[in-house]
Amino acid sequence: APRHPHQLFRPNPNMRATGVALAAVLLAASNQISESFSPGWVRRRALSDVTSSRSPATLSARVPSPTTALPMAAPVVDEATNTLTVSPIKSLDGTVTLPGSKSLSNRCLLLAALSEGSTRVENLLESDDIRYMLEALDALGVPVERDPDDDTAVTVQGQAGPIDSPLGDDETLDLFLGNAGTAMRPLSAALCMGKGKFVLDGVPRMRERPIADLIDGLQQLGADATCVEETGCPPVTINAKGLKGGEASISGKMSSQFLSSLLMASPVAEGDITISIKDELISAPYVALTIGLMKKFGVNVQIEGDMDGTPSFKIPASEKYTGPGSILVEGDASSASYFIAGAAITGGTVTVRGCGSERVQGDVAF
């Protein structure tokens, strides 16, 4: 698929190998012939991402907690030519339960922490990003209760406002976030709204990931936050004293996560906040995802202008987060599209659990 920034349907990298294997199956099924293809990483990754059943004629995608395996033609790998050959199938049938989306998992955890009341968050993705976010909330003193019977569920006791440092005024809290961009960016914004001194850092790769546009927006709002000036990357140093509100104009070309981070943090500021895009907003569906999730926590974002142009977003001081009691983290809609397409093309029946048509992700339009 083309990787244009405005394209609605983009494959999820976490499901790429499974998706390519499925694409080959569907191509073979639609043509009723055997098809071969040979991108180098297919041989290295595809076979590690699928598991064969006892029958040599079936193959099931390795998706956490599948209720029914999806029968697929068994692949044949030719080591000499580095090709994977998939034979035709009659139909794709079964039920798949998708793991929670990574970005939605950490968004839900953060919004639950900022909300009034307790929130049970279910179907969290089991990944490093989510582990680092949970460890950060622990270090910040936010009560998070793990479910002993379900590794993908926690109950978060919200702070009913900004998160303050649990340390003294002169002490700095160091948060190590690995390479978790979905934790680094939202936390950098959210911690500016409270009080305390923080340093957010990670692995060497994290120190190569730009965050300057987000820091610039926070500084416009009056935050005392900096990143490495020479690189525009973490570590991020914050001397938080709360924010009274204001206006910020940021670039939307680099990453929609910068805007999403500012949006999620804004309701715990003391006053109104307006954020405008000064050039172009890429990945608008992901911003819509953030706004939709904020609404589930009781906050309505006012949008002026076209999302495909240079929109502005206002969050009045009257908007405050309220925990929904419980929330299920949606499965990744991009991943779901592979299995749905498989049934549509082959005339089979596939049920994908964890990603319904009323969800907040843009890719549910598939």
Side-chain angles (χ1 to χ4, degrees):
R3 299 181 63 82
H4 189 277
H6 294 298
Q7 178 188 330
L8 180 60
F9 309 117
R10 284 175 294 278
N12 184 330
N14 295 329
M15 296 292 290
R16 183 185 297 175
T18 302
V20 169
L22 273 171
V25 171
L26 302 181
L27 181 61
S30 61
N31 291 309
Q32 291 300 301
I33 58 174
S34 294
E35 293 288 344
S36 298
F37 55 103
S38 57
W41 54 268
V42 170
R43 180 176 61 84
R44 296 192 302 271
R45 295 187 57 195
L47 293 185
S48 67
D49 284 357
V50 295
T51 56
S52 297
S53 70
R54 293 181 180 179
S55 169
T58 62
L59 187 73
S60 61
R62 182 183 290 168
V63 178
S65 305
T67 304
T68 305
L70 298 178
M72 292 182 272
V76 178
V77 177
D78 187 329
E79 296 286 347
T81 60
N82 190 31
T83 60
L84 174 67
T85 301
V86 183
S87 300
I89 60 173
K90 291 184 178 179
S91 67
L92 195 68
D93 300 271
T95 299
V96 174
T97 300
L98 292 176
S101 159
K102 179 174 67 175
S103 58
L104 278 175
S105 290
N106 272 348
R107 282 173 167 87
C108 285
L109 288 173
L110 180 60
L111 296 191
L114 299 175
S115 296
E116 180 179 359
S118 64
T119 303
R120 178 177 170 84
V121 184
E122 300 177 340
N123 198 36
L124 288 168
L125 180 66
E126 297 182 73
S127 74
D128 285 345
D129 275 45
I130 282 64
R131 178 170 61 86
Y132 282 121
M133 175 64 88
L134 288 170
E135 290 176 356
L137 293 178
D138 289 337
L140 289 164
V142 177
V144 179
E145 180 183 353
R146 275 70 168 179
D147 188 328
D149 300 319
D150 185 353
D151 292 338
T152 68
V154 300
T155 299
V156 181
Q157 183 62 48
Q159 304 299 287
I163 301 173
D164 298 329
S165 172
L167 304 182
D169 293 341
D170 296 328
E171 296 181 84
T172 298
L173 179 62
D174 294 304
L175 297 176
F176 182 80
L177 300 174
N179 194 33
T182 59
M184 173 65 75
R185 292 159 179 170
L187 281 173
S188 294
L191 293 180
C192 287
M193 306 298 167
K195 296 180 180 179
K197 295 180 179 181
F198 309 92
V199 173
L200 284 63
D201 203 357
V203 298
R205 177 68 183 95
M206 176 65 83
R207 294 186 172 191
E208 299 173 352
R209 303 181 67 176
I211 199 170
D213 285 340
L214 173 58
I215 299 301
D216 176 59
L218 290 167
Q219 290 174 346
Q220 292 179 52
L221 293 171
D224 184 357
T226 59
C227 59
V228 179
E229 185 175 353
E230 293 78 11
T231 64
C233 300
V236 173
T237 302
I238 300 171
N239 183 16
K241 300 177 181 178
L243 289 186
K244 298 187 179 299
E247 299 182 2
S249 177
I250 67 170
S251 171
K253 287 185 175 181
M254 178 65 72
S255 172
S256 62
Q257 284 191 32
F258 300 151
L259 173 59
S260 288
S261 298
L262 288 172
L263 288 172
M264 288 189 290
S266 293
V268 294
E270 296 177 18
D272 298 352
I273 286 184
T274 300
I275 307 164
S276 58
I277 298 300
K278 61 185 179 182
D279 40 38
E280 176 188 12
L281 178 60
I282 67 170
S283 303
Y286 289 97
V287 176
L289 177 152
T290 299
I291 293 172
L293 187 61
M294 291 171 66
K295 187 173 183 179
K296 290 188 175 185
F297 282 82
V299 168
N300 292 291
V301 178
Q302 300 174 11
I303 306 172
E304 294 184 4
D306 188 351
M307 289 284 280
D308 291 328
T310 54
S312 62
F313 307 86
K314 183 177 180 180
I315 304 91
S318 58
E319 296 290 336
K320 299 299 179 184
Y321 288 124
T322 302
S326 66
I327 189 167
L328 178 73
V329 178
E330 298 177 19
D332 183 77
S334 299
S335 302
S337 65
Y338 294 120
F339 303 102
I340 297 297
I345 293 175
T346 65
T349 300
V350 170
T351 299
V352 179
R353 291 178 173 169
C355 191
S357 58
E358 299 302 317
R359 301 300 184 172
V360 299
Q361 299 175 73
D363 285 5
V364 297
F366 185 89

mmCIF file of all heavy atoms in Angstrom, residues 315-351:
data_model
loop_
_atom_site.group_PDB
_atom_site.id
_atom_site.type_symbol
_atom_site.label_atom_id
_atom_site.label_comp_id
_atom_site.label_asym_id
_atom_site.label_seq_id
_atom_site.Cartn_x
_atom_site.Cartn_y
_atom_site.Cartn_z
ATOM 1 N N ILE A 315 -9.926 23.952 24.025
ATOM 2 C CA ILE A 315 -10.367 23.169 25.177
ATOM 3 C C ILE A 315 -10.669 24.144 26.304
ATOM 4 O O ILE A 315 -9.750 24.673 26.945
ATOM 5 C CB ILE A 315 -9.303 22.137 25.622
ATOM 6 C CG1 ILE A 315 -8.930 21.208 24.462
ATOM 7 C CG2 ILE A 315 -9.823 21.326 26.795
ATOM 8 C CD1 ILE A 315 -7.779 21.676 23.628
ATOM 9 N N PRO A 316 -11.940 24.442 26.556
ATOM 10 C CA PRO A 316 -12.297 25.382 27.630
ATOM 11 C C PRO A 316 -11.922 24.825 29.000
ATOM 12 O O PRO A 316 -11.869 23.607 29.208
ATOM 13 C CB PRO A 316 -13.818 25.513 27.489
ATOM 14 C CG PRO A 316 -14.130 25.045 26.097
ATOM 15 C CD PRO A 316 -13.116 24.004 25.800
ATOM 16 N N ALA A 317 -11.667 25.735 29.943
ATOM 17 C CA ALA A 317 -11.303 25.326 31.296
ATOM 18 C C ALA A 317 -12.413 24.542 31.979
ATOM 19 O O ALA A 317 -12.166 23.784 32.925
ATOM 20 C CB ALA A 317 -10.946 26.557 32.122
ATOM 21 N N SER A 318 -13.623 24.702 31.493
ATOM 22 C CA SER A 318 -14.767 24.003 32.102
ATOM 23 C C SER A 318 -14.785 22.515 31.781
ATOM 24 O O SER A 318 -15.495 21.736 32.431
ATOM 25 C CB SER A 318 -16.078 24.639 31.620
ATOM 26 O OG SER A 318 -16.164 24.602 30.200
ATOM 27 N N GLU A 319 -14.009 22.107 30.768
ATOM 28 C CA GLU A 319 -13.976 20.693 30.382
ATOM 29 C C GLU A 319 -13.021 19.928 31.299
ATOM 30 O O GLU A 319 -11.831 20.238 31.371
ATOM 31 C CB GLU A 319 -13.532 20.553 28.925
ATOM 32 C CG GLU A 319 -14.483 21.164 27.913
ATOM 33 C CD GLU A 319 -15.780 20.382 27.790
ATOM 34 O OE1 GLU A 319 -15.787 19.178 28.116
ATOM 35 O OE2 GLU A 319 -16.794 20.984 27.382
ATOM 36 N N LYS A 320 -13.542 18.941 32.000
ATOM 37 C CA LYS A 320 -12.731 18.145 32.915
ATOM 38 C C LYS A 320 -12.966 16.656 32.679
ATOM 39 O O LYS A 320 -14.067 16.239 32.322
ATOM 40 C CB LYS A 320 -13.060 18.490 34.375
ATOM 41 C CG LYS A 320 -12.799 19.956 34.747
ATOM 42 C CD LYS A 320 -11.320 20.330 34.579
ATOM 43 C CE LYS A 320 -11.063 21.787 34.931
ATOM 44 N NZ LYS A 320 -9.651 22.189 34.670
ATOM 45 N N TYR A 321 -11.933 15.873 32.915
ATOM 46 C CA TYR A 321 -12.033 14.430 32.706
ATOM 47 C C TYR A 321 -12.823 13.767 33.834
ATOM 48 O O TYR A 321 -12.627 14.061 35.020
ATOM 49 C CB TYR A 321 -10.646 13.795 32.652
ATOM 50 C CG TYR A 321 -9.862 14.086 31.395
ATOM 51 C CD1 TYR A 321 -8.597 14.661 31.466
ATOM 52 C CD2 TYR A 321 -10.368 13.750 30.141
ATOM 53 C CE1 TYR A 321 -7.853 14.912 30.321
ATOM 54 C CE2 TYR A 321 -9.645 14.002 28.997
ATOM 55 C CZ TYR A 321 -8.388 14.585 29.083
ATOM 56 O OH TYR A 321 -7.664 14.827 27.939
ATOM 57 N N THR A 322 -13.685 12.836 33.438
ATOM 58 C CA THR A 322 -14.415 11.992 34.377
ATOM 59 C C THR A 322 -14.254 10.550 33.928
ATOM 60 O O THR A 322 -14.543 10.213 32.778
ATOM 61 C CB THR A 322 -15.911 12.351 34.424
ATOM 62 O OG1 THR A 322 -16.054 13.730 34.789
ATOM 63 C CG2 THR A 322 -16.631 11.472 35.430
ATOM 64 N N GLY A 323 -13.777 9.705 34.808
ATOM 65 C CA GLY A 323 -13.563 8.309 34.447
ATOM 66 C C GLY A 323 -14.848 7.630 34.031
ATOM 67 O O GLY A 323 -15.893 7.824 34.670
ATOM 68 N N PRO A 324 -14.816 6.822 32.967
ATOM 69 C CA PRO A 324 -16.034 6.130 32.507
ATOM 70 C C PRO A 324 -16.369 4.895 33.328
ATOM 71 O O PRO A 324 -17.361 4.226 33.047
ATOM 72 C CB PRO A 324 -15.668 5.745 31.065
ATOM 73 C CG PRO A 324 -14.177 5.579 31.084
ATOM 74 C CD PRO A 324 -13.671 6.600 32.066
ATOM 75 N N GLY A 325 -15.581 4.588 34.342
ATOM 76 C CA GLY A 325 -15.815 3.382 35.136
ATOM 77 C C GLY A 325 -15.016 2.215 34.603
ATOM 78 O O GLY A 325 -14.225 1.605 35.305
ATOM 79 N N SER A 326 -15.208 1.912 33.344
ATOM 80 C CA SER A 326 -14.406 0.882 32.678
ATOM 81 C C SER A 326 -14.345 1.211 31.191
ATOM 82 O O SER A 326 -15.247 1.852 30.646
ATOM 83 C CB SER A 326 -15.002 -0.513 32.888
ATOM 84 O OG SER A 326 -16.268 -0.624 32.243
ATOM 85 N N ILE A 327 -13.268 0.797 30.573
ATOM 86 C CA ILE A 327 -13.108 1.028 29.139
ATOM 87 C C ILE A 327 -12.300 -0.111 28.539
ATOM 88 O O ILE A 327 -11.339 -0.602 29.150
ATOM 89 C CB ILE A 327 -12.426 2.389 28.867
ATOM 90 C CG1 ILE A 327 -12.458 2.714 27.372
ATOM 91 C CG2 ILE A 327 -11.008 2.426 29.419
ATOM 92 C CD1 ILE A 327 -12.091 4.171 27.062
ATOM 93 N N LEU A 328 -12.712 -0.573 27.378
ATOM 94 C CA LEU A 328 -12.026 -1.643 26.663
ATOM 95 C C LEU A 328 -11.141 -1.010 25.593
ATOM 96 O O LEU A 328 -11.621 -0.244 24.761
ATOM 97 C CB LEU A 328 -13.026 -2.592 26.011
ATOM 98 C CG LEU A 328 -12.433 -3.738 25.178
ATOM 99 C CD1 LEU A 328 -11.818 -4.794 26.082
ATOM 100 C CD2 LEU A 328 -13.501 -4.370 24.278
ATOM 101 N N VAL A 329 -9.858 -1.297 25.632
ATOM 102 C CA VAL A 329 -8.943 -0.777 24.619
ATOM 103 C C VAL A 329 -9.229 -1.484 23.297
ATOM 104 O O VAL A 329 -9.207 -2.716 23.221
ATOM 105 C CB VAL A 329 -7.474 -1.004 25.024
ATOM 106 C CG1 VAL A 329 -6.547 -0.495 23.936
ATOM 107 C CG2 VAL A 329 -7.179 -0.307 26.340
ATOM 108 N N GLU A 330 -9.515 -0.704 22.292
ATOM 109 C CA GLU A 330 -9.826 -1.273 20.982
ATOM 110 C C GLU A 330 -8.645 -2.028 20.404
ATOM 111 O O GLU A 330 -7.491 -1.666 20.612
ATOM 112 C CB GLU A 330 -10.209 -0.166 19.996
ATOM 113 C CG GLU A 330 -11.425 0.615 20.376
ATOM 114 C CD GLU A 330 -11.685 1.741 19.390
ATOM 115 O OE1 GLU A 330 -11.162 1.679 18.269
ATOM 116 O OE2 GLU A 330 -12.398 2.678 19.747
ATOM 117 N N GLY A 331 -8.952 -3.067 19.645
ATOM 118 C CA GLY A 331 -7.930 -3.716 18.841
ATOM 119 C C GLY A 331 -7.553 -2.813 17.685
ATOM 120 O O GLY A 331 -8.292 -1.895 17.325
ATOM 121 N N ASP A 332 -6.388 -3.045 17.108
ATOM 122 C CA ASP A 332 -5.915 -2.194 16.029
ATOM 123 C C ASP A 332 -6.753 -2.413 14.765
ATOM 124 O O ASP A 332 -6.841 -3.520 14.238
ATOM 125 C CB ASP A 332 -4.448 -2.497 15.729
ATOM 126 C CG ASP A 332 -3.884 -1.583 14.671
ATOM 127 O OD1 ASP A 332 -3.584 -0.427 15.002
ATOM 128 O OD2 ASP A 332 -3.766 -2.028 13.517
ATOM 129 N N ALA A 333 -7.369 -1.330 14.289
ATOM 130 C CA ALA A 333 -8.274 -1.435 13.140
ATOM 131 C C ALA A 333 -7.532 -1.805 11.861
ATOM 132 O O ALA A 333 -8.079 -2.492 10.994
ATOM 133 C CB ALA A 333 -9.037 -0.127 12.949
ATOM 134 N N SER A 334 -6.298 -1.344 11.703
ATOM 135 C CA SER A 334 -5.520 -1.699 10.515
ATOM 136 C C SER A 334 -5.300 -3.207 10.463
ATOM 137 O O SER A 334 -5.393 -3.830 9.402
ATOM 138 C CB SER A 334 -4.172 -0.978 10.512
ATOM 139 O OG SER A 334 -4.334 0.410 10.487
ATOM 140 N N SER A 335 -5.002 -3.797 11.624
ATOM 141 C CA SER A 335 -4.798 -5.240 11.677
ATOM 142 C C SER A 335 -6.090 -5.980 11.356
ATOM 143 O O SER A 335 -6.078 -6.998 10.669
ATOM 144 C CB SER A 335 -4.297 -5.643 13.062
ATOM 145 O OG SER A 335 -3.105 -4.968 13.387
ATOM 146 N N ALA A 336 -7.209 -5.471 11.856
ATOM 147 C CA ALA A 336 -8.499 -6.115 11.616
ATOM 148 C C ALA A 336 -8.834 -6.169 10.129
ATOM 149 O O ALA A 336 -9.466 -7.117 9.653
ATOM 150 C CB ALA A 336 -9.597 -5.369 12.368
ATOM 151 N N SER A 337 -8.388 -5.155 9.384
ATOM 152 C CA SER A 337 -8.767 -5.069 7.974
ATOM 153 C C SER A 337 -8.264 -6.252 7.162
ATOM 154 O O SER A 337 -8.909 -6.670 6.202
ATOM 155 C CB SER A 337 -8.246 -3.762 7.364
ATOM 156 O OG SER A 337 -6.832 -3.733 7.349
ATOM 157 N N TYR A 338 -7.121 -6.828 7.542
ATOM 158 C CA TYR A 338 -6.610 -7.984 6.803
ATOM 159 C C TYR A 338 -7.585 -9.156 6.856
ATOM 160 O O TYR A 338 -7.873 -9.808 5.856
ATOM 161 C CB TYR A 338 -5.258 -8.431 7.373
ATOM 162 C CG TYR A 338 -4.139 -7.442 7.200
ATOM 163 C CD1 TYR A 338 -3.472 -6.916 8.302
ATOM 164 C CD2 TYR A 338 -3.734 -7.026 5.930
ATOM 165 C CE1 TYR A 338 -2.438 -6.016 8.157
ATOM 166 C CE2 TYR A 338 -2.701 -6.126 5.772
ATOM 167 C CZ TYR A 338 -2.047 -5.618 6.890
ATOM 168 O OH TYR A 338 -1.032 -4.734 6.741
ATOM 169 N N PHE A 339 -8.080 -9.437 8.058
ATOM 170 C CA PHE A 339 -8.948 -10.589 8.235
ATOM 171 C C PHE A 339 -10.324 -10.351 7.625
ATOM 172 O O PHE A 339 -10.933 -11.250 7.044
ATOM 173 C CB PHE A 339 -9.060 -10.917 9.729
ATOM 174 C CG PHE A 339 -7.729 -11.182 10.367
ATOM 175 C CD1 PHE A 339 -7.113 -10.214 11.150
ATOM 176 C CD2 PHE A 339 -7.077 -12.393 10.177
ATOM 177 C CE1 PHE A 339 -5.885 -10.453 11.731
ATOM 178 C CE2 PHE A 339 -5.845 -12.632 10.747
ATOM 179 C CZ PHE A 339 -5.236 -11.674 11.526
ATOM 180 N N ILE A 340 -10.817 -9.113 7.755
ATOM 181 C CA ILE A 340 -12.096 -8.769 7.140
ATOM 182 C C ILE A 340 -12.001 -8.890 5.623
ATOM 183 O O ILE A 340 -12.902 -9.410 4.957
ATOM 184 C CB ILE A 340 -12.523 -7.342 7.543
ATOM 185 C CG1 ILE A 340 -12.739 -7.253 9.058
ATOM 186 C CG2 ILE A 340 -13.764 -6.913 6.790
ATOM 187 C CD1 ILE A 340 -13.846 -8.119 9.572
ATOM 188 N N ALA A 341 -10.906 -8.391 5.055
ATOM 189 C CA ALA A 341 -10.703 -8.488 3.604
ATOM 190 C C ALA A 341 -10.618 -9.940 3.175
ATOM 191 O O ALA A 341 -11.118 -10.321 2.105
ATOM 192 C CB ALA A 341 -9.436 -7.737 3.193
ATOM 193 N N GLY A 342 -9.992 -10.771 3.999
ATOM 194 C CA GLY A 342 -9.867 -12.186 3.659
ATOM 195 C C GLY A 342 -11.213 -12.848 3.480
ATOM 196 O O GLY A 342 -11.435 -13.604 2.524
ATOM 197 N N ALA A 343 -12.135 -12.549 4.393
ATOM 198 C CA ALA A 343 -13.478 -13.126 4.280
ATOM 199 C C ALA A 343 -14.220 -12.560 3.074
ATOM 200 O O ALA A 343 -14.907 -13.282 2.354
ATOM 201 C CB ALA A 343 -14.266 -12.849 5.555
ATOM 202 N N ALA A 344 -14.066 -11.252 2.854
ATOM 203 C CA ALA A 344 -14.778 -10.613 1.740
ATOM 204 C C ALA A 344 -14.330 -11.162 0.395
ATOM 205 O O ALA A 344 -15.142 -11.393 -0.506
ATOM 206 C CB ALA A 344 -14.553 -9.097 1.798
ATOM 207 N N ILE A 345 -13.036 -11.369 0.243
ATOM 208 C CA ILE A 345 -12.500 -11.826 -1.044
ATOM 209 C C ILE A 345 -12.800 -13.298 -1.291
ATOM 210 O O ILE A 345 -13.113 -13.702 -2.410
ATOM 211 C CB ILE A 345 -10.984 -11.565 -1.111
ATOM 212 C CG1 ILE A 345 -10.725 -10.056 -1.149
ATOM 213 C CG2 ILE A 345 -10.359 -12.242 -2.329
ATOM 214 C CD1 ILE A 345 -9.263 -9.685 -1.096
ATOM 215 N N THR A 346 -12.723 -14.122 -0.223
ATOM 216 C CA THR A 346 -12.875 -15.568 -0.417
ATOM 217 C C THR A 346 -14.292 -16.061 -0.204
ATOM 218 O O THR A 346 -14.579 -17.241 -0.409
ATOM 219 C CB THR A 346 -11.952 -16.323 0.548
ATOM 220 O OG1 THR A 346 -12.368 -16.070 1.905
ATOM 221 C CG2 THR A 346 -10.500 -15.896 0.367
ATOM 222 N N GLY A 347 -15.199 -15.181 0.227
ATOM 223 C CA GLY A 347 -16.570 -15.620 0.462
ATOM 224 C C GLY A 347 -16.731 -16.357 1.769
ATOM 225 O O GLY A 347 -17.698 -17.106 1.947
ATOM 226 N N GLY A 348 -15.805 -16.156 2.712
ATOM 227 C CA GLY A 348 -15.892 -16.813 4.002
ATOM 228 C C GLY A 348 -16.570 -15.941 5.037
ATOM 229 O O GLY A 348 -17.119 -14.876 4.732
ATOM 230 N N THR A 349 -16.520 -16.372 6.300
ATOM 231 C CA THR A 349 -17.111 -15.624 7.400
ATOM 232 C C THR A 349 -16.071 -15.486 8.511
ATOM 233 O O THR A 349 -15.622 -16.487 9.071
ATOM 234 C CB THR A 349 -18.352 -16.332 7.966
ATOM 235 O OG1 THR A 349 -19.323 -16.473 6.928
ATOM 236 C CG2 THR A 349 -18.949 -15.532 9.120
ATOM 237 N N VAL A 350 -15.685 -14.260 8.817
ATOM 238 C CA VAL A 350 -14.693 -14.006 9.860
ATOM 239 C C VAL A 350 -15.272 -13.005 10.854
ATOM 240 O O VAL A 350 -15.819 -11.978 10.459
ATOM 241 C CB VAL A 350 -13.377 -13.448 9.268
ATOM 242 C CG1 VAL A 350 -12.456 -12.953 10.378
ATOM 243 C CG2 VAL A 350 -12.666 -14.520 8.454
ATOM 244 N N THR A 351 -15.173 -13.328 12.135
ATOM 245 C CA THR A 351 -15.562 -12.409 13.204
ATOM 246 C C THR A 351 -14.298 -11.876 13.862
ATOM 247 O O THR A 351 -13.456 -12.648 14.311
ATOM 248 C CB THR A 351 -16.424 -13.127 14.256
ATOM 249 O OG1 THR A 351 -17.613 -13.619 13.632
ATOM 250 C CG2 THR A 351 -16.798 -12.173 15.391
#
